[in-house]
Amino acid sequence: MKFRNMLALSASAIVFAAGAAVAQDQDAESTRENAVSRVLGTVTVTATKKANVENVQDVPVAVSAFNSDTLDALNVTTLESLSYSAPNVSLDDVGTSRGTANFAIRGLGVNSSIPSIDPAVGVFIDGVYLGINSGVVVDLFDIDSIEVLRGPQGLLFGRNTTGGAVVVNTGNPTDEFHYKVRANVDGPVDGDRGGANSTIQGTISGPLIEGKLNGKFGIAYNSDAGYFKNQFNGDNHGELQATTYRGALEFMPTDSLTFLGKLEYSDSRGDGPSGQNRSYFDRYSFDFSINNPGLAESESTLGSLKTDLDVDFGNGVITNIFGYRKYDGVSSGDIDATPFTLFHSNAEIAQEQFSDELRYAGTFGKADVTTGLYYFEQTLDYTEIRFLPTVTPAGFYGGGSLDHEVFGVFANVDYSLTDKLIATVGLRYSTEEKSADVVYIQPRPACSFVEGTCDAGGTNPFTGGSPNGFSDSDKWSNWTPKLGLQYFWSDNVQSYALYTKGFRSGGYNFRITDIPIFLDYVDQTGSLGFDEEEVDSYELGFKAQSEDGRIQVNGATFITKIANMQREVNTSNPTGAVVQNIINTADGSIFGIEVDGRLAFTDSLLGTFNVGMMNAEYDDVFFDLTGDGVIDSTDLRLDMPRVPELTWGFGVIKDFDLGSNGAVVATANFQHRDKIVYTDSNFGWVQPADMVDVNLTWETPVDGLSASIYGKNLLDEVQVGNDTQLPFPGPLSTGIQLPYQDSPFAGTFSPLKKGRLVGVELTYSY
């Protein structure tokens, strides 16, 4: 009842705010900077890697940038939250293991939790690229800004960012003493669901040696009682205990030299996926019943050291960013998503990476120059264990081990042809090498790549002497060009035209379960791995705002040509449960339009909006996507996965100045995303979603103290992380698999995400 009363209060307040705000008079001028003014403030971006950060409105890049004020206003707690704040962007959790990113931008992404697939959307934290998707979708705290770049970013951010890049900048140490504490609790409105989710975060920052050394320390703790109810035993499901520690030091030995070091450690322990079997439960419900609650445990260490040296040469800056990450995780999931033991799966992963980027940025007359070197290496060990007791009492073991090395050199020049016209020319050369040991996932004696007990050589006695696996290596080299023109019609209006190319390197499948299909692919291609994916992107865009910044409209139209598309093709198989082949399947094209902006109706009322439209089609298909044994027009007519035809949304921020009683800030946001196909065969799909979030914050008369009440997903939309076909038909099954337009599936594994919830939050900042 308390949650329902809170929901009613917050919804009523938002409706009142939207209706009364335009008519409200601003009788008295306040010295307080209100919420609208904070959001309207200049947003700077680091994405161009120039000597100085730039106004987001001045860069010829399609980017949605969120500073700390905007993130607070939108109540952003994870990267996934931004899926409903930008056009043509989907930052989803894959669902099979908590925290695994399944990001797609402009229709380009991955549909897999196999860690040997490189991300199509690169995630960079404090300038450090994360080499795998595991452990990416975690709680955010103490964030200075987030930049979501749409389209290939292969020049400045390297290979494997064919879809886009998500740039996260955590808070830096301050030269004045500052601390902030935030605590919140939220949970489901429906009493038939699980329990509360609570978080407490704190940071403290300030000078350690005046003018020379600043320090910062933060800690965040999250305890989730589990949002869902497991009908198998009535227990809450989705439980989580997670802790993150973060420290930073900024050392300034001279006026021209700065060292900024950051170190983060996180530990997470929780349940496995809340999987729903669609042949047992309606896909628009939150009902599920599993006899294996599973687990998801991980530890992660992330460190960076950034060095900036101001130099007279070109009045520029030499920057070096060294990065390190170590990630270890184990997981277990009830993949059949039934109260029976049909298909349970465990996995373990260990990854370690090092990277270093050395670059120079400076100005020579009419030319802004950015150039540099980049090095990246990682090791990756992955073991998967499948239990299929109806097939065999023996466990299925397999996986792979990978050594991965990247080297790149890049240069970009922005040259002012006139005072208003700027030409961009850029080029990057990259080489990338991968060496892998792969063991087929088959019934076999227990082994582990993490512990070094799996052998890719020899034969498997459990299967009559078939090969255990293979060892192989491959190398790719590419030139990545960028050409662009930017024209400033005035100080506040610009347009740009851009061509760029991107590559996603090939690699090896660590989840080979159907050896005949794999060997047939090897015979066709002559390769034990899959080949690289190539993307050509053509974009026209504009950015415009009024003189006072109260009106802002940005837009872009793009055509993306994808060659040798990398896909994980999912099919069901009675002996292996799920067959997941990583294949170069097709060439395709994606055409899209996106517009976003904001409008300050008054000094205290701000509206925001975004619209994204995409149309995707295959140009050529060279793999049997439908599984009917032939490659024909039926394959060519399939919908391309992860491409919603339409996304759109709007929001309002209203500030009520209460004088000596503080202020109330009300926000409301609505976002729609069309249905998307999840599998290449079109047998799996994710239903459309209409997301409504609201927030009501009282900025109390006590300076720095605020209290909030908020609601998320208030329409109680059912969301899923993926839609994987299984050979286990249930009572709602048709017994056969048909495309999503025609019929339900024979059996489907679909991890659920949280539905409607409301919460309260307290924040104190000094």
Side-chain angles (χ1 to χ4, degrees), residues 301-322:
T301 302
L302 175 66
S304 64
L305 177 61
K306 181 182 179 184
T307 305
D308 286 316
L309 176 65
D310 294 337
V311 293
D312 293 333
F313 178 68
N315 193 27
V317 177
I318 297 174
T319 299
N320 190 85
I321 300 177
F322 171 79

Side-chain angles (χ1 to χ4, degrees), residues 105-163:
I105 296 179
R106 289 183 173 177
L108 293 178
V110 297
N111 62 332
S112 175
S113 59
I114 304 175
S116 55
I117 300 179
D118 287 332
V121 176
V123 177
F124 300 80
I125 298 181
D126 294 319
V128 178
Y129 168 71
L130 304 187
I132 61 173
N133 283 326
S134 301
V136 173
V137 187
V138 296
D139 286 342
L140 299 175
F141 84 104
D142 187 33
I143 299 299
D144 183 64
S145 67
I146 298 177
E147 303 163 27
V148 181
L149 286 76
R150 303 188 291 276
Q153 306 297 324
L155 175 64
L156 296 177
F157 288 94
R159 293 163 56 95
N160 302 331
T161 55
T162 51

Side-chain angles (χ1 to χ4, degrees), residues 4 94 106 127 155 206 276 378 423 430 439 443 487 565 577 616 621 651 669 684 701 729 759:
R4 292 179 180 175
V94 74
R106 289 183 173 177
L155 175 64
Q276 182 186 77
Q378 71 171 337
S430 296
V439 169
Y487 187 78
M565 187 181 299
V621 176
N669 289 279

Side-chain angles (χ1 to χ4, degrees), residues 365-366 415-423 486-491 493-494:
K366 296 182 177 182
Y415 188 82
S416 298
L417 299 172
T418 70
D419 291 341
K420 296 184 176 182
L421 181 63
I422 299 173
Q486 181 184 21
Y487 187 78
F488 283 88
W489 303 90
S490 69
D491 290 341
V493 180
Q494 60 122 327

Side-chain angles (χ1 to χ4, degrees), residues 426-440:
L427 190 64
R428 185 186 190 103
Y429 176 73
S430 296
T431 65
E432 190 158 359
E433 185 171 5
K434 293 182 178 180
S435 301
D437 296 317
V438 177
V439 169
Y440 305 135

Side-chain angles (χ1 to χ4, degrees), residues 89-217:
V89 171
S90 176
L91 306 180
D92 291 330
D93 190 322
V94 74
T96 50
S97 182
R98 185 191 293 266
T100 303
N102 193 8
F103 294 173
I105 296 179
R106 289 183 173 177
L108 293 178
V110 297
N111 62 332
S112 175
S113 59
I114 304 175
S116 55
I117 300 179
D118 287 332
V121 176
V123 177
F124 300 80
I125 298 181
D126 294 319
V128 178
Y129 168 71
L130 304 187
I132 61 173
N133 283 326
S134 301
V136 173
V137 187
V138 296
D139 286 342
L140 299 175
F141 84 104
D142 187 33
I143 299 299
D144 183 64
S145 67
I146 298 177
E147 303 163 27
V148 181
L149 286 76
R150 303 188 291 276
Q153 306 297 324
L155 175 64
L156 296 177
F157 288 94
R159 293 163 56 95
N160 302 331
T161 55
T162 51
V166 178
V167 180
V168 180
N169 299 306
T170 64
N172 294 335
T174 56
D175 55 12
E176 295 183 355
F177 179 70
H178 172 79
Y179 67 86
K180 183 176 183 178
V181 179
R182 172 180 291 178
N184 74 304
V185 58
D186 57 44
V189 178
D190 192 324
D192 294 332
R193 298 182 194 165
N197 171 50
S198 58
T199 302
I200 184 167
Q201 304 172 350
T203 58
I204 184 169
S205 179
L208 302 177
I209 302 176
E210 195 72 34
K212 293 294 183 181
L213 182 65
N214 298 327
K216 190 169 195 174
F217 178 76

